[in-house]
Amino acid sequence: MTQEQVSAETSEITEKLEKFQEPGQKRLSGLVYWIALLYGGFGILVAINQTFGFNAFGFILIDNSYYYLLIAIFMSLAFLILPAVKRHNDRVPIYDWALFALTNATALYLSYHGGEMVEKGWDTVAPTEPTIVAAVMCLLALEGVRRAGGLILFCVCFTFFCFPLWTDYAPGFLWGIGKTPEELVRAYAMGFESIVGVPMRVAGNILIGFLVFGAALVVTGGGEFFMNFAAALLGKTRGGPAKVAILSSGFFGSLSGSVISNVVTTGQLTIPTMKKAGYSSSYAGAVEACASTGGTLMPPVMGAV
């Protein structure tokens, strides 16, 4: 296979990969793009200020107020970027704008009352107004999970979400003390074991820093370095192109939490090289897809995003 053929093969693969863009990538344009840019930049600044204790503007948010502010910034964007149905992948319908505004209002309300929430134990007993806000937050979180994680993950979360409502009727080891709907939404939205639980704390205190570092490293040429480094280590070994695909995808996965971006970045180089070495098209694609999926589990496990 000549160099021209490899280049043509690479262009063809790139065009095919563009058809499998991440959900919502087409919607990330125009006003949505600028909103995402503004919110993302503000979220990074808030996280940096909170993590390093810069005490900007003379105050640092308490933990739960900080987490709710991150929810307002990032979960609200999910309703603009991720479509409710596939046919709306190229535009943002009015109800998504409404959900965007509602998420902002709900999360900012909880953030504003973060101190009062802790002092008065709103996760168990709360006035009517914050209870209603908590119920809205739970529904928004479930819809966000459906859009970002898919229907199967939504069904799993919804099943466990409803489980405390009937656990006092459950047999055997499934039995437990039941909760009323009001108690349930308070515990989920204003407690420290559900929406603002360990995953949210890890993301807010640790993962955001790695994300910023990884994005900066990729933009400044870190991805290309890891690709060349993998080729230098394994390029001349038996089955080298496939080994390069695995190692480079692992390196890139330590910077990016996205399987698709990993395939697009490393696959456009490794797939034509594997085919040139004699691998079939399906096998080369399968190696790259599996390697890119496994790359998201490389420390610091950016796939957790």
Side-chain angles (χ1 to χ4, degrees):
M1 185 180 291
T2 65
Q3 184 64 35
E4 290 77 11
Q5 289 175 316
V6 173
S7 300
E9 187 76 24
T10 301
S11 300
E12 181 182 353
I13 292 173
T14 303
E15 291 177 1
K16 290 181 179 179
L17 289 173
E18 287 176 352
K19 297 180 180 179
F20 297 94
Q21 293 174 319
E22 296 190 37
Q25 195 166 345
K26 294 180 181 178
R27 305 202 331 171
L28 193 59
S29 60
L31 180 60
V32 175
Y33 171 81
W34 291 108
I35 291 176
L37 187 65
L38 178 64
Y39 270 52
F42 179 66
I44 290 172
L45 293 177
V46 169
I48 291 174
N49 177 68
Q50 190 76 13
T51 302
F52 295 100
F54 288 150
N55 200 22
F57 305 107
F59 71 96
I60 295 179
L61 295 170
I62 64 172
D63 283 349
N64 64 335
S65 293
Y66 165 61
Y67 300 138
Y68 289 123
L69 182 57
L70 290 183
I71 290 173
I73 294 170
F74 294 111
M75 193 173 82
S76 62
L77 291 177
F79 296 108
L80 296 183
I81 298 173
L82 303 175
V85 291
K86 290 184 178 181
R87 65 175 179 272
H88 292 159
N89 194 35
D90 56 345
R91 64 184 180 86
V92 182
I94 188 64
Y95 61 80
D96 279 344
W97 286 104
L99 291 174
F100 167 76
L102 184 60
T103 304
N104 275 281
T106 304
L108 289 176
Y109 176 92
L110 295 174
S111 179
Y112 179 77
H113 292 281
E116 193 174 1
M117 188 185 305
V118 175
E119 293 173 1
K120 297 184 178 181
W122 279 3
D123 57 325
T124 54
V125 179
T128 301
E129 183 178 290
T131 301
I132 294 174
V133 173
V136 173
M137 172 57 69
C138 290
L139 295 176
L140 291 170
L142 286 172
E143 173 60 11
V145 166
R146 188 189 68 82
R147 295 192 185 201
L151 185 60
I152 294 177
L153 181 60
F154 167 80
C155 292
V156 172
C157 292
F158 185 75
T159 299
F160 284 100
F161 175 85
C162 297
F163 178 69
L165 294 175
W166 55 271
T167 184
D168 51 339
Y169 299 103
F173 70 94
L174 294 176
W175 182 91
I177 299 176
K179 288 184 177 293
T180 65
E182 293 83 0
E183 293 174 333
L184 191 67
V185 296
R186 290 172 192 152
Y188 283 149
M190 296 186 285
F192 283 90
E193 302 297 336
S194 187
I195 295 177
V196 184
V198 173
M200 186 67 203
R201 298 178 204 177
V202 172
N205 297 330
I206 299 175
L207 279 183
I208 287 183
F210 282 107
L211 281 172
V212 175
F213 171 75
L217 194 60
V218 170
V219 170
T220 55
E224 183 179 356
F225 164 77
F226 285 131
M227 186 73 190
N228 294 334
F229 182 60
L233 287 178
L234 302 172
K236 295 184 180 297
T237 61
R238 183 177 180 180
K243 294 176 181 176
V244 170
I246 295 170
L247 191 59
S248 62
S249 294
F251 283 141
F252 192 84
S254 67
L255 307 178
S256 168
S258 170
V259 175
I260 297 176
S261 64
N262 199 334
V263 173
V264 171
T265 304
T266 61
Q268 62 179 331
L269 299 176
T270 59
I271 293 175
T273 306
M274 282 188 279
K275 293 177 68 175
K276 182 180 178 181
Y279 293 95
S280 66
S281 299
S282 58
Y283 189 86
V287 168
E288 179 57 44
C290 292
S292 296
T293 303
T296 62
L297 303 179
M298 286 287 291
V301 195
M302 301 304 286
V305 176

